mmCIF file of all heavy atoms in Angstrom:
data_model
loop_
_atom_site.group_PDB
_atom_site.id
_atom_site.type_symbol
_atom_site.label_atom_id
_atom_site.label_comp_id
_atom_site.label_asym_id
_atom_site.label_seq_id
_atom_site.Cartn_x
_atom_site.Cartn_y
_atom_site.Cartn_z
ATOM 1 N N CYS A 1 11.275 -0.520 -16.186
ATOM 2 C CA CYS A 1 11.058 -1.814 -16.852
ATOM 3 C C CYS A 1 11.219 -1.731 -18.365
ATOM 4 O O CYS A 1 11.151 -2.757 -19.050
ATOM 5 C CB CYS A 1 9.680 -2.368 -16.498
ATOM 6 S SG CYS A 1 8.284 -1.418 -17.170
ATOM 7 N N TYR A 2 11.383 -0.507 -18.884
ATOM 8 C CA TYR A 2 11.620 -0.242 -20.310
ATOM 9 C C TYR A 2 10.424 -0.548 -21.201
ATOM 10 O O TYR A 2 10.537 -0.510 -22.432
ATOM 11 C CB TYR A 2 12.863 -1.012 -20.815
ATOM 12 C CG TYR A 2 14.085 -0.738 -19.982
ATOM 13 C CD1 TYR A 2 14.585 -1.720 -19.124
ATOM 14 C CD2 TYR A 2 14.717 0.492 -20.024
ATOM 15 C CE1 TYR A 2 15.702 -1.471 -18.336
ATOM 16 C CE2 TYR A 2 15.831 0.753 -19.232
ATOM 17 C CZ TYR A 2 16.317 -0.227 -18.402
ATOM 18 O OH TYR A 2 17.412 0.032 -17.622
ATOM 19 N N LEU A 3 9.263 -0.853 -20.596
ATOM 20 C CA LEU A 3 8.084 -1.145 -21.401
ATOM 21 C C LEU A 3 7.361 0.150 -21.768
ATOM 22 O O LEU A 3 7.188 1.035 -20.923
ATOM 23 C CB LEU A 3 7.130 -2.057 -20.635
ATOM 24 C CG LEU A 3 7.613 -3.479 -20.342
ATOM 25 C CD1 LEU A 3 6.605 -4.213 -19.464
ATOM 26 C CD2 LEU A 3 7.840 -4.234 -21.653
ATOM 27 N N PRO A 4 6.910 0.292 -23.002
ATOM 28 C CA PRO A 4 6.116 1.460 -23.385
ATOM 29 C C PRO A 4 4.643 1.259 -23.047
ATOM 30 O O PRO A 4 4.190 0.134 -22.813
ATOM 31 C CB PRO A 4 6.321 1.533 -24.899
ATOM 32 C CG PRO A 4 6.492 0.096 -25.299
ATOM 33 C CD PRO A 4 7.205 -0.579 -24.158
ATOM 34 N N GLY A 5 3.913 2.373 -22.994
ATOM 35 C CA GLY A 5 2.458 2.303 -22.872
ATOM 36 C C GLY A 5 1.911 2.373 -21.475
ATOM 37 O O GLY A 5 0.689 2.495 -21.302
ATOM 38 N N GLY A 6 2.766 2.297 -20.465
ATOM 39 C CA GLY A 6 2.256 2.275 -19.100
ATOM 40 C C GLY A 6 2.526 3.528 -18.296
ATOM 41 O O GLY A 6 2.183 3.598 -17.116
ATOM 42 N N MET A 7 3.106 4.548 -18.920
ATOM 43 C CA MET A 7 3.462 5.751 -18.169
ATOM 44 C C MET A 7 2.266 6.696 -17.980
ATOM 45 O O MET A 7 1.458 6.869 -18.884
ATOM 46 C CB MET A 7 4.590 6.502 -18.874
ATOM 47 C CG MET A 7 5.919 5.761 -18.917
ATOM 48 S SD MET A 7 6.563 5.332 -17.276
ATOM 49 C CE MET A 7 6.754 6.944 -16.520
ATOM 50 N N ARG A 8 2.193 7.296 -16.800
ATOM 51 C CA ARG A 8 1.200 8.323 -16.494
ATOM 52 C C ARG A 8 1.880 9.375 -15.628
ATOM 53 O O ARG A 8 2.912 9.119 -14.988
ATOM 54 C CB ARG A 8 0.001 7.750 -15.752
ATOM 55 C CG ARG A 8 0.340 7.055 -14.443
ATOM 56 C CD ARG A 8 -0.884 6.822 -13.569
ATOM 57 N NE ARG A 8 -1.260 8.036 -12.844
ATOM 58 C CZ ARG A 8 -2.254 8.091 -11.939
ATOM 59 N NH1 ARG A 8 -2.973 6.999 -11.681
ATOM 60 N NH2 ARG A 8 -2.533 9.212 -11.311
ATOM 61 N N VAL A 9 1.314 10.554 -15.589
ATOM 62 C CA VAL A 9 1.844 11.599 -14.732
ATOM 63 C C VAL A 9 1.654 11.177 -13.271
ATOM 64 O O VAL A 9 0.669 10.528 -12.908
ATOM 65 C CB VAL A 9 1.142 12.942 -15.042
ATOM 66 C CG1 VAL A 9 -0.333 12.897 -14.657
ATOM 67 C CG2 VAL A 9 1.857 14.110 -14.359
ATOM 68 N N HIS A 10 2.616 11.537 -12.421
ATOM 69 C CA HIS A 10 2.592 11.110 -11.015
ATOM 70 C C HIS A 10 1.805 12.125 -10.183
ATOM 71 O O HIS A 10 2.335 12.814 -9.317
ATOM 72 C CB HIS A 10 4.031 10.978 -10.496
ATOM 73 C CG HIS A 10 4.123 10.422 -9.103
ATOM 74 N ND1 HIS A 10 3.555 9.222 -8.726
ATOM 75 C CD2 HIS A 10 4.737 10.915 -7.985
ATOM 76 C CE1 HIS A 10 3.813 8.989 -7.452
ATOM 77 N NE2 HIS A 10 4.518 10.010 -6.983
ATOM 78 N N VAL A 11 0.527 12.242 -10.487
ATOM 79 C CA VAL A 11 -0.361 13.114 -9.719
ATOM 80 C C VAL A 11 -1.550 12.293 -9.234
ATOM 81 O O VAL A 11 -1.869 11.243 -9.795
ATOM 82 C CB VAL A 11 -0.850 14.329 -10.548
ATOM 83 C CG1 VAL A 11 0.327 15.165 -11.032
ATOM 84 C CG2 VAL A 11 -1.741 13.905 -11.685
ATOM 85 N N VAL A 12 -2.182 12.808 -8.194
ATOM 86 C CA VAL A 12 -3.357 12.149 -7.631
ATOM 87 C C VAL A 12 -4.593 12.654 -8.369
ATOM 88 O O VAL A 12 -4.898 13.849 -8.346
ATOM 89 C CB VAL A 12 -3.474 12.448 -6.122
ATOM 90 C CG1 VAL A 12 -4.764 11.857 -5.553
ATOM 91 C CG2 VAL A 12 -2.260 11.889 -5.384
ATOM 92 N N TRP A 13 -5.293 11.743 -9.008
ATOM 93 C CA TRP A 13 -6.520 12.102 -9.712
ATOM 94 C C TRP A 13 -7.713 11.957 -8.771
ATOM 95 O O TRP A 13 -7.628 11.321 -7.722
ATOM 96 C CB TRP A 13 -6.700 11.205 -10.937
ATOM 97 C CG TRP A 13 -5.767 11.545 -12.064
ATOM 98 C CD1 TRP A 13 -5.285 12.772 -12.381
ATOM 99 C CD2 TRP A 13 -5.207 10.631 -13.013
ATOM 100 N NE1 TRP A 13 -4.460 12.698 -13.483
ATOM 101 C CE2 TRP A 13 -4.397 11.394 -13.901
ATOM 102 C CE3 TRP A 13 -5.304 9.258 -13.237
ATOM 103 C CZ2 TRP A 13 -3.697 10.829 -14.960
ATOM 104 C CZ3 TRP A 13 -4.613 8.686 -14.293
ATOM 105 C CH2 TRP A 13 -3.822 9.471 -15.152
ATOM 106 N N PHE A 14 -8.842 12.555 -9.175
ATOM 107 C CA PHE A 14 -10.062 12.427 -8.392
ATOM 108 C C PHE A 14 -10.431 10.943 -8.280
ATOM 109 O O PHE A 14 -10.408 10.207 -9.263
ATOM 110 C CB PHE A 14 -11.195 13.218 -9.039
ATOM 111 C CG PHE A 14 -11.002 14.710 -8.924
ATOM 112 C CD1 PHE A 14 -10.318 15.420 -9.897
ATOM 113 C CD2 PHE A 14 -11.486 15.399 -7.817
ATOM 114 C CE1 PHE A 14 -10.124 16.795 -9.794
ATOM 115 C CE2 PHE A 14 -11.295 16.768 -7.697
ATOM 116 C CZ PHE A 14 -10.611 17.466 -8.681
ATOM 117 N N GLY A 15 -10.723 10.538 -7.062
ATOM 118 C CA GLY A 15 -11.025 9.136 -6.804
ATOM 119 C C GLY A 15 -9.833 8.343 -6.321
ATOM 120 O O GLY A 15 -9.980 7.167 -5.953
ATOM 121 N N GLU A 16 -8.641 8.970 -6.289
ATOM 122 C CA GLU A 16 -7.436 8.294 -5.808
ATOM 123 C C GLU A 16 -7.041 8.853 -4.440
ATOM 124 O O GLU A 16 -7.387 9.979 -4.085
ATOM 125 C CB GLU A 16 -6.288 8.476 -6.803
ATOM 126 C CG GLU A 16 -6.558 7.829 -8.154
ATOM 127 C CD GLU A 16 -5.415 7.985 -9.133
ATOM 128 O OE1 GLU A 16 -4.711 9.020 -9.082
ATOM 129 O OE2 GLU A 16 -5.230 7.079 -9.961
ATOM 130 N N MET A 17 -6.289 8.071 -3.679
ATOM 131 C CA MET A 17 -5.878 8.469 -2.336
ATOM 132 C C MET A 17 -4.658 9.382 -2.381
ATOM 133 O O MET A 17 -3.666 9.051 -3.032
ATOM 134 C CB MET A 17 -5.546 7.214 -1.511
ATOM 135 C CG MET A 17 -5.103 7.510 -0.096
ATOM 136 S SD MET A 17 -6.393 8.308 0.914
ATOM 137 C CE MET A 17 -7.571 6.965 1.058
ATOM 138 N N PRO A 18 -4.711 10.535 -1.720
ATOM 139 C CA PRO A 18 -3.530 11.399 -1.649
ATOM 140 C C PRO A 18 -2.349 10.670 -1.001
ATOM 141 O O PRO A 18 -2.513 9.705 -0.250
ATOM 142 C CB PRO A 18 -4.000 12.572 -0.790
ATOM 143 C CG PRO A 18 -5.474 12.608 -0.975
ATOM 144 C CD PRO A 18 -5.884 11.163 -1.081
ATOM 145 N N PHE A 19 -1.168 11.181 -1.261
ATOM 146 C CA PHE A 19 0.060 10.588 -0.737
ATOM 147 C C PHE A 19 0.349 11.091 0.679
ATOM 148 O O PHE A 19 0.003 12.223 1.040
ATOM 149 C CB PHE A 19 1.250 10.937 -1.638
ATOM 150 C CG PHE A 19 1.115 10.445 -3.053
ATOM 151 C CD1 PHE A 19 1.314 11.309 -4.114
ATOM 152 C CD2 PHE A 19 0.787 9.128 -3.327
ATOM 153 C CE1 PHE A 19 1.208 10.868 -5.429
ATOM 154 C CE2 PHE A 19 0.666 8.676 -4.628
ATOM 155 C CZ PHE A 19 0.879 9.553 -5.685
ATOM 156 N N GLY A 20 1.025 10.250 1.457
ATOM 157 C CA GLY A 20 1.598 10.664 2.736
ATOM 158 C C GLY A 20 0.618 10.950 3.848
ATOM 159 O O GLY A 20 0.956 11.658 4.809
ATOM 160 N N MET A 21 -0.589 10.416 3.780
ATOM 161 C CA MET A 21 -1.606 10.791 4.766
ATOM 162 C C MET A 21 -1.226 10.373 6.190
ATOM 163 O O MET A 21 -1.483 11.115 7.150
ATOM 164 C CB MET A 21 -2.961 10.191 4.381
ATOM 165 C CG MET A 21 -3.521 10.734 3.065
ATOM 166 S SD MET A 21 -3.614 12.547 3.059
ATOM 167 C CE MET A 21 -4.764 12.827 4.390
ATOM 168 N N GLU A 22 -0.601 9.237 6.358
ATOM 169 C CA GLU A 22 -0.217 8.789 7.702
ATOM 170 C C GLU A 22 0.783 9.763 8.326
ATOM 171 O O GLU A 22 0.653 10.161 9.493
ATOM 172 C CB GLU A 22 0.379 7.381 7.628
ATOM 173 C CG GLU A 22 0.688 6.778 8.994
ATOM 174 C CD GLU A 22 1.156 5.332 8.915
ATOM 175 O OE1 GLU A 22 0.911 4.677 7.874
ATOM 176 O OE2 GLU A 22 1.758 4.862 9.892
ATOM 177 N N ARG A 23 1.750 10.198 7.525
ATOM 178 C CA ARG A 23 2.739 11.155 8.019
ATOM 179 C C ARG A 23 2.094 12.505 8.333
ATOM 180 O O ARG A 23 2.416 13.143 9.342
ATOM 181 C CB ARG A 23 3.852 11.327 6.981
ATOM 182 C CG ARG A 23 4.948 12.277 7.406
ATOM 183 C CD ARG A 23 5.968 12.464 6.293
ATOM 184 N NE ARG A 23 6.950 13.482 6.645
ATOM 185 C CZ ARG A 23 7.797 14.024 5.778
ATOM 186 N NH1 ARG A 23 7.779 13.636 4.503
ATOM 187 N NH2 ARG A 23 8.657 14.949 6.176
ATOM 188 N N ILE A 24 1.170 12.936 7.488
ATOM 189 C CA ILE A 24 0.496 14.219 7.700
ATOM 190 C C ILE A 24 -0.315 14.209 8.991
ATOM 191 O O ILE A 24 -0.213 15.121 9.819
ATOM 192 C CB ILE A 24 -0.417 14.555 6.503
ATOM 193 C CG1 ILE A 24 0.423 14.800 5.241
ATOM 194 C CG2 ILE A 24 -1.274 15.786 6.818
ATOM 195 C CD1 ILE A 24 -0.397 14.851 3.957
ATOM 196 N N TYR A 25 -1.123 13.173 9.189
ATOM 197 C CA TYR A 25 -1.965 13.122 10.382
ATOM 198 C C TYR A 25 -1.128 13.011 11.656
ATOM 199 O O TYR A 25 -1.485 13.581 12.699
ATOM 200 C CB TYR A 25 -2.961 11.968 10.285
ATOM 201 C CG TYR A 25 -4.118 12.252 9.355
ATOM 202 C CD1 TYR A 25 -4.490 11.345 8.362
ATOM 203 C CD2 TYR A 25 -4.855 13.426 9.465
ATOM 204 C CE1 TYR A 25 -5.547 11.607 7.508
ATOM 205 C CE2 TYR A 25 -5.921 13.694 8.621
ATOM 206 C CZ TYR A 25 -6.254 12.781 7.643
ATOM 207 O OH TYR A 25 -7.309 13.052 6.794
ATOM 208 N N ALA A 26 0.006 12.309 11.584
ATOM 209 C CA ALA A 26 0.887 12.226 12.751
ATOM 210 C C ALA A 26 1.450 13.601 13.099
ATOM 211 O O ALA A 26 1.548 13.975 14.276
ATOM 212 C CB ALA A 26 2.024 11.241 12.478
ATOM 213 N N ALA A 27 1.834 14.363 12.077
ATOM 214 C CA ALA A 27 2.362 15.714 12.316
ATOM 215 C C ALA A 27 1.285 16.642 12.858
ATOM 216 O O ALA A 27 1.538 17.454 13.761
ATOM 217 C CB ALA A 27 2.951 16.266 11.019
ATOM 218 N N LEU A 28 0.055 16.539 12.337
ATOM 219 C CA LEU A 28 -1.049 17.371 12.825
ATOM 220 C C LEU A 28 -1.375 17.057 14.285
ATOM 221 O O LEU A 28 -1.754 17.947 15.049
ATOM 222 C CB LEU A 28 -2.288 17.160 11.963
ATOM 223 C CG LEU A 28 -2.228 17.710 10.535
ATOM 224 C CD1 LEU A 28 -3.397 17.183 9.713
ATOM 225 C CD2 LEU A 28 -2.238 19.248 10.533
ATOM 226 N N ALA A 29 -1.204 15.810 14.672
ATOM 227 C CA ALA A 29 -1.551 15.391 16.031
ATOM 228 C C ALA A 29 -0.599 15.966 17.075
ATOM 229 O O ALA A 29 -0.962 16.047 18.256
ATOM 230 C CB ALA A 29 -1.554 13.867 16.122
ATOM 231 N N ARG A 30 0.604 16.369 16.648
ATOM 232 C CA ARG A 30 1.567 16.871 17.637
ATOM 233 C C ARG A 30 1.983 18.330 17.413
ATOM 234 O O ARG A 30 2.779 18.866 18.170
ATOM 235 C CB ARG A 30 2.816 15.987 17.653
ATOM 236 C CG ARG A 30 3.614 15.966 16.368
ATOM 237 C CD ARG A 30 4.869 15.094 16.507
ATOM 238 N NE ARG A 30 5.621 15.059 15.266
ATOM 239 C CZ ARG A 30 5.461 14.151 14.311
ATOM 240 N NH1 ARG A 30 4.551 13.202 14.461
ATOM 241 N NH2 ARG A 30 6.185 14.182 13.213
ATOM 242 N N CYS A 31 1.429 18.984 16.398
ATOM 243 C CA CYS A 31 1.902 20.336 16.089
ATOM 244 C C CYS A 31 1.357 21.367 17.072
ATOM 245 O O CYS A 31 0.314 21.175 17.695
ATOM 246 C CB CYS A 31 1.538 20.723 14.656
ATOM 247 S SG CYS A 31 -0.214 21.069 14.375
ATOM 248 N N SER A 32 2.071 22.481 17.172
ATOM 249 C CA SER A 32 1.611 23.602 17.990
ATOM 250 C C SER A 32 1.097 24.748 17.132
ATOM 251 O O SER A 32 0.463 25.672 17.638
ATOM 252 C CB SER A 32 2.752 24.119 18.877
ATOM 253 O OG SER A 32 3.841 24.566 18.076
ATOM 254 N N LEU A 33 1.386 24.699 15.824
ATOM 255 C CA LEU A 33 0.927 25.742 14.909
ATOM 256 C C LEU A 33 0.568 25.102 13.571
ATOM 257 O O LEU A 33 1.363 24.336 13.006
ATOM 258 C CB LEU A 33 2.031 26.786 14.688
ATOM 259 C CG LEU A 33 1.745 27.888 13.661
ATOM 260 C CD1 LEU A 33 0.559 28.747 14.086
ATOM 261 C CD2 LEU A 33 2.993 28.760 13.454
ATOM 262 N N PHE A 34 -0.620 25.428 13.086
ATOM 263 C CA PHE A 34 -1.048 24.971 11.762
ATOM 264 C C PHE A 34 -1.354 26.190 10.914
ATOM 265 O O PHE A 34 -2.205 27.016 11.272
ATOM 266 C CB PHE A 34 -2.287 24.074 11.858
ATOM 267 C CG PHE A 34 -2.868 23.716 10.512
ATOM 268 C CD1 PHE A 34 -2.192 22.867 9.646
ATOM 269 C CD2 PHE A 34 -4.093 24.245 10.103
ATOM 270 C CE1 PHE A 34 -2.717 22.550 8.392
ATOM 271 C CE2 PHE A 34 -4.629 23.935 8.861
ATOM 272 C CZ PHE A 34 -3.934 23.083 8.007
ATOM 273 N N LEU A 35 -0.657 26.309 9.789
ATOM 274 C CA LEU A 35 -0.864 27.402 8.841
ATOM 275 C C LEU A 35 -1.485 26.860 7.570
ATOM 276 O O LEU A 35 -0.999 25.880 7.000
ATOM 277 C CB LEU A 35 0.474 28.057 8.465
ATOM 278 C CG LEU A 35 1.301 28.733 9.541
ATOM 279 C CD1 LEU A 35 2.595 29.264 8.933
ATOM 280 C CD2 LEU A 35 0.523 29.866 10.185
ATOM 281 N N SER A 36 -2.551 27.487 7.111
ATOM 282 C CA SER A 36 -3.170 27.152 5.832
ATOM 283 C C SER A 36 -3.016 28.351 4.912
ATOM 284 O O SER A 36 -3.456 29.454 5.240
ATOM 285 C CB SER A 36 -4.645 26.814 6.030
ATOM 286 O OG SER A 36 -5.280 26.543 4.791
ATOM 287 N N ILE A 37 -2.381 28.138 3.767
ATOM 288 C CA ILE A 37 -2.012 29.245 2.886
ATOM 289 C C ILE A 37 -2.535 29.001 1.472
ATOM 290 O O ILE A 37 -2.212 27.986 0.848
ATOM 291 C CB ILE A 37 -0.476 29.413 2.831
ATOM 292 C CG1 ILE A 37 0.089 29.649 4.234
ATOM 293 C CG2 ILE A 37 -0.094 30.544 1.893
ATOM 294 C CD1 ILE A 37 1.615 29.619 4.299
ATOM 295 N N GLY A 38 -3.354 29.919 0.971
ATOM 296 C CA GLY A 38 -3.765 29.877 -0.418
ATOM 297 C C GLY A 38 -4.631 28.695 -0.797
ATOM 298 O O GLY A 38 -4.506 28.161 -1.897
ATOM 299 N N THR A 39 -5.525 28.299 0.099
ATOM 300 C CA THR A 39 -6.386 27.150 -0.189
ATOM 301 C C THR A 39 -7.855 27.560 -0.191
ATOM 302 O O THR A 39 -8.262 28.484 0.516
ATOM 303 C CB THR A 39 -6.186 26.022 0.840
ATOM 304 O OG1 THR A 39 -6.652 26.465 2.117
ATOM 305 C CG2 THR A 39 -4.727 25.629 0.946
ATOM 306 N N SER A 40 -8.646 26.831 -0.971
ATOM 307 C CA SER A 40 -10.072 27.132 -1.084
ATOM 308 C C SER A 40 -10.876 26.600 0.090
ATOM 309 O O SER A 40 -11.973 27.072 0.374
ATOM 310 C CB SER A 40 -10.632 26.540 -2.383
ATOM 311 O OG SER A 40 -10.511 25.120 -2.364
ATOM 312 N N GLY A 41 -10.340 25.569 0.753
ATOM 313 C CA GLY A 41 -11.041 24.988 1.890
ATOM 314 C C GLY A 41 -12.209 24.097 1.521
ATOM 315 O O GLY A 41 -13.036 23.785 2.377
#
C-alpha cells in the first residue's frame, strides 16, 4: 500500500495465534510418525 508506519516483523508474538494450525492438526491426525527435534516441550 506504500504507506509508512505500519510495518512489523512477520512473527507470532506472545498472545497471538500461531500460523497454520488447521493444517498442522490435520497432518497430526493422519501421521504414522511424529518427530520432535530440539524443543523444550
Side-chain angles (χ1 to χ4, degrees):
C1 68
Y2 306 108
L3 294 175
M7 294 302 299
R8 58 165 280 184
V9 67
H10 185 55
V11 301
V12 175
W13 286 328
F14 289 90
E16 296 181 328
M17 180 64 68
F19 300 129
M21 296 306 298
E22 185 175 341
R23 181 184 174 193
I24 294 168
Y25 284 130
L28 290 168
R30 64 178 179 269
C31 73
S32 60
L33 175 63
F34 173 69
L35 298 178
S36 177
I37 302 171
T39 67
S40 63

